[in-house]
Amino acid sequence: RAGRGCSRLVMAAVPPSSRPGGSEPTPPPPLQYSLLLQHLVGEQRRPRAFDPAALGGIPSPPKSEEQKMVERAMESCAFKAVLACVGGFVLGGAFGVFTAGIDTNVGFDPKDPYRTPTAKEVLKDMGQRGMSYAKNFAIVGAMFSCTECVVESYRGKSDWKNSVISGCITGGAIGFRAGLKAGVIGCGGFAAFSAAIDYYLR
């Protein structure tokens, strides 16, 4: 019995690799952190959809047909043209009144240059100049906005090229009334101005 116990202890102390007839156990595969990082921050990471309800926000209800119709109307070219026309009218009127206010020749009568103009005459000239500027700004704003919307719808892209093309068309249409050379200059000048404004805003 004592001999059998000693042989069992010797067999237990021998490592499995050195046991006669025993096969070596396969080591576990090493953990590859590169594959793990690809799923966490790499290209294989699955984007999570933003859900306001998960952050405690109020989930937005589905839009009704009336709301969709109003959104389509506000995104139409006609609405954008009207909005640009109104904005140009207000901006042009303010700019005309401002330029008339700093002009020393407002209310000036060429027949009687030494006569001091009255306040009524000055206000009349300021109103006429403001209305003239307002009409011009409204026409240019409506033409540019409508042309840009049509070009964007035709190209299917929203980039700086839309502003340049619409600026060239608008400037050329306004300048062609004074001749071909004025139309080419207006096209190039308005296109460059539109590109600069678009670059500044973006």
Side-chain angles (χ1 to χ4, degrees), residues 52-105:
L55 302 177
I58 301 176
S60 59
K63 297 180 181 180
S64 61
E65 293 296 330
E66 291 79 7
Q67 291 177 343
K68 294 180 180 179
M69 184 175 62
V70 170
E71 288 183 356
R72 286 194 297 267
M74 293 180 65
E75 294 177 357
S76 62
C77 296
F79 180 81
K80 292 180 180 180
V82 172
L83 187 63
C85 181
V86 174
F89 186 86
V90 174
L91 181 62
F95 185 73
V97 172
F98 173 75
T99 54
I102 61 177
D103 190 1
T104 58
N105 294 326

Side-chain angles (χ1 to χ4, degrees), residues 6-196:
C6 292
S7 61
R8 290 178 181 177
L9 292 176
V10 171
M11 292 294 294
V14 176
S17 58
S18 60
R19 291 179 181 177
S23 60
E24 297 182 358
T26 57
L31 181 61
Q32 298 182 2
Y33 290 99
S34 59
L35 298 178
L36 183 62
L37 291 177
Q38 288 182 3
H39 289 278
L40 294 177
V41 295
E43 298 178 353
Q44 299 182 5
R45 182 176 63 89
R46 296 181 179 179
R48 293 183 179 180
F50 178 74
D51 187 9
L55 302 177
I58 301 176
S60 59
K63 297 180 181 180
S64 61
E65 293 296 330
E66 291 79 7
Q67 291 177 343
K68 294 180 180 179
M69 184 175 62
V70 170
E71 288 183 356
R72 286 194 297 267
M74 293 180 65
E75 294 177 357
S76 62
C77 296
F79 180 81
K80 292 180 180 180
V82 172
L83 187 63
C85 181
V86 174
F89 186 86
V90 174
L91 181 62
F95 185 73
V97 172
F98 173 75
T99 54
I102 61 177
D103 190 1
T104 58
N105 294 326
V106 174
F108 176 77
D109 188 4
K111 297 180 180 180
D112 190 5
Y114 296 102
R115 186 179 64 86
T116 303
T118 61
K120 184 178 180 180
E121 294 175 347
V122 172
L123 292 176
K124 182 180 179 180
D125 286 352
M126 292 176 65
Q128 291 178 353
R129 182 178 294 188
M131 184 59 65
S132 176
Y133 275 71
K135 290 179 180 179
N136 293 332
F137 274 63
I139 293 174
V140 172
M143 289 179 60
F144 179 81
S145 179
C146 185
T147 306
E148 185 181 17
C149 182
V150 172
V151 171
E152 183 178 351
S153 301
Y154 176 77
R155 297 183 65 241
K157 297 179 182 180
S158 179
D159 51 9
W160 60 272
K161 295 182 181 179
N162 297 333
S163 300
V164 174
I165 296 173
S166 57
C168 180
I169 295 174
T170 304
I174 295 174
F176 275 137
R177 296 182 299 177
L180 180 60
K181 184 178 180 180
V184 173
I185 295 176
C187 173
F190 215 103
F193 179 75
S194 302

